Amino acid sequence: MVKTADSSALKHLKIIDLTRVRAGPTCVRFFADFGAEVLKVESPDGVEANEGVIGPRDNYDNLNLHRNKRSLTLNFKEPEGLKILYQLVKDADVVIENFRPDVKNRLKIDYETLSKINPRIIMGSISGFGQDGPYANRPGFDQIAQGMGGLMSITGIPGQGPVRAGIAVSDSTAGNYAAIGILVALLEREQSGKGQWVQSNLLQSMIGLCDFQAARYLVDHDIPPQAGNDHPFSTPMGVYQSADGYFNLGASGNGQYYALCDVLNRPDLRDDPDLQTLKGRTARREFVNQELNKEFATQTSSYWIDQLNAKSIPCGPIYNMAEVFSDPQVEHLGVAVKVTDPNRGPIELVATPIKLSRTPAAVSFTLHAKGSDNLELLQSLGYSQDDIKKLQEKKVI
């Protein structure tokens, strides 16, 4: 394996990527963008029943998820394929997978097996519900975890029924938590010289992301309800309607609220004894929101955003994706990164949202053609061209 990304931050790491769908690739992408040598191991055509579950290989999603990786096709359900995988593990730092626990054990790619081959190996496992317990072998997908982790019960307008978030929050969170855990294990290995098994799952990640709402129940035994666009306990905080649309406002602190009243020229809202505290304003949220919307309806969103920001009152527009990427601050941050795909030509992908001053992340190329690195990789393991041809004929690669 050779270095394939421009970042030098993690160039000393060799990662074997056995992941699929979203949570696993989200984890692996972090290491790939920071320069680790990532080898994506994929099933040969016709071997994986659920292949293509997130669309064609060159669609926007796959190109964004699987950049900066090389590709090896390998059917490790076959003994010869498993042998090749074990050879790769000997020289690797990390293996990342998101098979169901029973599948991993059946295929003999579990941590106990791999650690005997390489005691320094760190294995990252991402599952739906954990590696053991009553739900361990259930299939898990993002929306299932959103429901079971409580998010759908607190999302949406009160009374409308459960609502999923518009993005794969439990998938992405489980992937990012796994990446953090792997980094911790890598740092610990510098002291102990030993690898270990890092685990995350969609269900626990979803609960962890709910954070203060989960703690609200655990500490006070208060079940959070749907609150729509209103903050659970802060007012004014939410979505307000202007003359030409909507915008977000967060002015729940007393100083911010008083400044808001001044901008709106509403001393009555400022001096009302019932509205002098956050608790009082929240108790009269419906009245406060009605009065604010009356004022906001007189001018455009951009007018109010300019006026409020001038007084350091937190607020902002509500964008669609086209508007997101035309915003001057988004452009300044470099959130869209340019790359050339061999099939689609010049495109833009979503940049890594972490800035390092000396060794920043980089997106060097999109997903390699499936199996395009087979020859070079297998030859580096000592296989001849004749050996490789036989492996192709047996559909091992």
Side-chain angles (χ1 to χ4, degrees):
M1 296 169 67
V2 298
K3 176 178 175 294
T4 55
D6 289 338
S7 177
S8 61
L10 300 178
K11 66 179 182 180
H12 59 293
L13 295 179
K14 297 179 180 180
I15 312 287
I16 298 176
D17 174 16
L18 304 181
T19 68
R20 62 278 318 284
V21 195
R22 184 172 313 281
T26 297
C27 172
V28 177
R29 179 175 57 188
F30 172 84
F31 295 94
D33 284 2
F34 279 104
E37 302 172 10
V38 177
L39 175 60
K40 178 175 173 57
V41 178
E42 310 179 68
S43 296
D45 289 340
V47 172
E48 175 57 58
N50 294 318
E51 188 174 15
V53 70
I54 59 173
R57 187 178 186 82
D58 66 346
N59 76 353
Y60 63 89
D61 203 2
N62 282 311
L63 294 179
N64 193 54
L65 274 173
H66 296 291
R67 68 244 194 148
N68 292 338
K69 302 176 183 180
R70 304 175 77 195
S71 173
L72 171 70
T73 53
L74 188 64
N75 180 6
F76 46 83
K77 295 177 182 177
E78 297 293 333
E80 291 168 291
L82 189 61
K83 178 184 176 183
I84 293 171
L85 180 63
Y86 287 168
Q87 288 177 273
L88 293 168
V89 168
K90 288 180 182 179
D91 193 37
D93 293 286
V94 182
V95 174
I96 305 174
E97 60 83 25
N98 58 344
F99 292 101
R100 288 194 319 219
D102 59 333
V103 174
K104 179 167 57 260
N105 295 328
R106 187 170 69 247
L107 294 176
K108 299 179 181 178
I109 56 170
D110 55 283
Y111 173 68
E112 184 177 354
T113 298
L114 299 188
S115 65
K116 290 176 181 176
I117 297 168
N118 179 358
R120 288 176 55 84
I121 199 72
I122 290 165
M123 185 169 193
S125 292
I126 304 168
S127 61
F129 304 100
Q131 296 298 316
D132 46 37
Y135 302 160
N137 290 322
R138 286 187 181 183
F141 281 95
D142 177 84
Q143 186 161 339
I144 309 303
Q146 285 193 36
M148 293 179 68
L151 181 66
M152 291 177 67
S153 74
I154 57 176
T155 302
I157 305 300
Q160 77 173 112
V163 178
R164 70 179 289 275
I167 58 173
V169 284
S170 58
D171 272 344
S172 297
T173 303
N176 287 325
Y177 280 157
I180 293 170
I182 290 167
L183 288 174
V184 172
L186 286 165
L187 286 169
E188 192 280 336
R189 191 178 69 178
E190 293 181 3
Q191 305 299 317
S192 68
K194 300 176 181 178
Q196 58 182 306
W197 190 13
V198 177
Q199 303 170 30
S200 75
N201 65 78
L202 272 61
L203 177 59
Q204 190 170 359
S205 296
M206 187 71 268
I207 298 168
L209 193 64
C210 286
D211 199 24
F212 75 89
Q213 294 282 39
R216 177 178 175 180
Y217 171 73
L218 290 176
V219 176
D220 291 340
H221 302 291
D222 181 21
I223 300 176
Q226 289 174 306
N229 289 316
D230 292 320
H231 191 276
F233 50 78
S234 292
T235 303
M237 176 82 76
V239 174
Y240 293 86
Q241 189 165 7
S242 69
D244 66 345
Y246 299 88
F247 67 98
N248 277 318
L249 170 70
S252 57
N254 280 350
Q256 295 164 347
Y257 177 69
Y258 298 154
L260 171 63
C261 293
D262 291 342
V263 169
L264 297 177
N265 193 26
R266 290 292 302 269
D268 58 312
L269 294 178
R270 174 181 180 135
D271 298 335
D272 187 329
D274 291 341
L275 305 180
Q276 294 292 301
T277 65
L278 173 60
K279 184 176 181 180
R281 291 190 293 275
T282 301
R284 297 188 65 194
R285 171 180 280 162
E286 184 175 353
F287 168 76
V288 172
N289 286 346
Q290 285 177 346
E291 293 302 306
L292 294 182
N293 277 322
K294 285 180 185 177
E295 302 300 329
F296 291 140
T298 64
Q299 296 286 350
T300 65
S301 293
S302 61
Y303 172 87
W304 290 119
I305 289 168
D306 288 343
Q307 295 294 311
L308 297 171
N309 273 308
K311 298 296 182 180
S312 297
I313 300 169
C315 64
I318 299 173
Y319 287 149
N320 62 38
M321 277 298 167
E323 293 166 329
V324 167
F325 286 100
S326 63
D327 182 274
Q329 184 64 26
V330 173
E331 291 179 346
H332 171 78
L333 291 171
V335 176
V337 59
K338 298 182 188 314
V339 65
T340 299
D341 179 73
N343 297 317
R344 302 187 66 163
I347 60 173
E348 292 181 312
L349 299 176
V350 183
T352 301
I354 302 171
K355 302 289 185 182
L356 271 66
S357 62
R358 188 167 48 79
T359 57
V363 180
S364 299
F365 53 85
T366 54
L367 179 58
H368 274 196
K370 190 173 185 179
S372 60
D373 300 293
N374 283 5
L375 181 63
E376 181 184 347
L377 288 163
L378 291 173
Q379 285 181 333
S380 73
L381 295 176
Y383 288 83
S384 67
Q385 289 195 6
D386 188 53
D387 293 332
I388 295 170
K389 183 179 180 181
K390 290 178 181 177
L391 291 172
Q392 289 175 327
E393 291 171 350
K394 294 179 180 178
K395 295 187 177 181
V396 174
I397 61 173

